[in-house]
Amino acid sequence: MTESNGNPRREFLGLAGKAGLSTVFAQALGVNLGLVNVAQAAAVKPFSFAMIADPHLYGAKDHVFDKQLEDAVLQVNEMKEQPDFVVVLGDVSHNGVLNELEKGKRILGNLRAPIRSIPGEHDWYLDMGAGWRANFGDEFWSFDHKGVHFIGLNSILVPDFWTKAGLTPEQRRDWFMPLNSPVPGVWGTDARQREWLKKDVAKLPTSTPIVIFTHSPLWDYYPRWNFQVSDAVQIRGILSKFTSVMAFHGHVHHTLYNKIGNMTSIGTMSTSWPWPYPPVKLPYPQFQQYRADPSNTSDGMGTAAVSITGPGAGRMQYAPFADSVPQRLIDGFKI
Ligand SMILES: [Fe+2]
Ligand SMILES: [Fe+2]
């Protein structure tokens, strides 16, 4: 192992960040992402992309969440293998106000790689996405990159419950603040996006590797906390013809894994705070998931990166800010 920056650990990880940075390979958790099938392998060129989720920036100057997002940007910028792009998985702002969104754009603008973004509910409901769109562009999109088809959707839309009730924009937004708010109802994409998605993938060969990003998970993880997408079954149905679909999401503020049919679903850590795991059995792993260390304010947060390695698979790497991952998971995967 060679050294760079005088820090052999950084060289090993190919990542840098706060003290005690550690990385978990998805393989360490027994996850085989299985993204690239053999038939398609020849068309896929190896590359990687990174993800940053849930910065929840406030307008206050020098807020601690600013620093944490700056740390995430630094961590990604110092990756040994620079990602081709970084996907920002929503909740850039906490209150959806313009100066929060602009601050997010400014900090994320320090990334060396270009970004693609999808919105979270905190970004959206003050002005129905106007400020977010002005700073981050289209709310749903797709593009092809080195043999992989990438899709981003707006998964936090609900039917209008505010007009008839005469709510102010602030009141509307505040209904989305609690983790277990029952009033907005379970959110999802909408008919407009589903129709677009059908057309978007209609002509793609079934062997095309698909990577899809949504703010919330494309399965019913814990609807009582709005950890779901209400039309996930329909979205998965539209993508069911493909050999392999990899889905990434934020919103739950912790690591998460599931596999339904052809879709592998991966949840990412936030850069702001970790949510607890809800009181349900995780689909995977079946052992105790590590929890945030209450004495460590950075525990359970960080960034993530995916290496598309060519024949066989992609590889997910969690890059926590703090060294909270059990050593038994890290050991054995040092190179
Ligand atoms: Fe969030
Ligand atoms: Fe969220």
Side-chain angles (χ1 to χ4, degrees):
M1 185 166 66
T2 56
E3 291 192 12
S4 68
N5 305 325
N7 186 335
R9 184 173 171 80
R10 287 186 178 187
E11 178 68 21
F12 148 58
L13 295 168
L15 294 162
K18 280 182 168 179
L21 172 71
S22 62
T23 298
V24 175
F25 299 144
Q27 284 175 332
L29 298 170
V31 176
N32 178 7
L33 297 175
L35 172 66
V36 184
N37 66 50
V38 175
Q40 185 68 18
V44 176
K45 300 192 184 93
F47 68 98
S48 66
F49 62 92
M51 288 171 284
I52 289 176
D54 296 276
H56 285 268
L57 300 180
Y58 284 82
K61 195 169 181 294
D62 298 327
H63 190 274
V64 65
F65 290 175
D66 299 358
K67 177 71 171 61
Q68 290 167 200
L69 180 58
E70 286 163 4
D71 284 346
V73 167
L74 185 69
Q75 186 165 285
V76 172
N77 278 348
E78 294 190 7
M79 286 174 67
K80 186 178 174 188
E81 181 192 353
Q82 265 300 287
D84 286 8
F85 52 88
V86 182
V87 181
V88 182
L89 293 168
D91 286 352
V92 164
S93 70
H94 190 73
N95 296 299
V97 298
L98 212 48
N99 71 337
E100 296 173 351
L101 291 159
E102 288 169 349
K103 186 197 284 188
K105 187 180 180 184
R106 193 166 61 246
I107 295 173
L108 291 164
N110 292 324
L111 284 163
R112 290 164 62 189
I115 66 168
R116 298 300 297 251
S117 296
I118 51 171
E121 78 280 13
H122 285 261
D123 301 315
W124 201 257
Y125 282 97
L126 179 65
D127 61 7
M128 300 309 294
W132 184 89
R133 279 191 295 263
N135 283 282
F136 295 100
D138 294 335
E139 71 202 86
F140 59 93
W141 39 260
S142 70
F143 63 90
D144 295 298
H145 187 75
K146 296 184 178 174
V148 178
H149 189 67
F150 288 89
I151 299 161
L153 297 178
N154 180 351
S155 69
I156 48 80
L157 298 174
V158 299
D160 181 349
F161 66 87
W162 49 87
T163 303
K164 205 170 161 195
L167 301 185
T168 66
E170 288 77 14
Q171 287 170 326
R172 175 179 59 204
R173 174 204 58 198
D174 290 350
W175 277 117
F176 290 86
M177 291 292 181
L179 194 58
N180 59 350
S181 174
V183 171
V186 288
W187 55 52
T189 77
D190 54 10
R192 173 190 54 142
Q193 290 184 79
R194 291 193 299 274
E195 285 312 304
W196 170 85
L197 183 62
K198 277 182 203 162
K199 289 188 190 126
D200 183 67
V201 301
K203 290 187 181 150
L204 294 176
T206 57
S207 60
T208 308
I210 302 291
V211 177
I212 183 168
F213 304 98
T214 49
H215 181 62
S216 43
L218 277 170
W219 58 284
D220 279 353
Y221 175 30
Y222 197 59
R224 285 176 66 183
W225 290 355
N226 288 310
F227 284 2
Q228 89 296 309
V229 173
S230 59
D231 55 343
V233 171
Q234 289 156 276
I235 301 290
R236 294 202 306 265
I238 294 168
L239 301 177
S240 62
K241 70 171 185 173
F242 293 101
T243 307
S244 179
V245 178
M246 208 193 280
F248 295 97
H249 63 88
H251 185 59
V252 300
H253 293 214
H254 53 236
T255 62
L256 189 64
Y257 173 84
N258 197 4
K259 183 153 173 57
I260 301 176
N262 64 342
M263 180 180 282
T264 300
S265 177
I266 306 272
T268 57
M269 298 170 291
S270 81
T271 68
S272 50
W273 73 82
W275 279 129
Y277 286 85
V280 291
K281 274 189 178 172
L282 294 178
Y284 193 92
Q286 276 123 28
F287 54 79
Q288 182 75 33
Q289 186 76 289
Y290 74 88
R291 297 296 197 270
D293 175 354
S295 65
N296 183 337
T297 55
S298 290
D299 195 12
M301 299 184 290
T303 62
V306 176
S307 294
I308 306 296
T309 51
R315 187 178 68 182
M316 174 77 169
Q317 296 175 299
Y318 289 115
F321 288 154
D323 211 351
S324 59
V325 179
Q327 198 60 36
R328 65 194 166 83
L329 292 181
I330 299 171
D331 286 346
F333 290 89
K334 290 183 179 178
I335 48 177

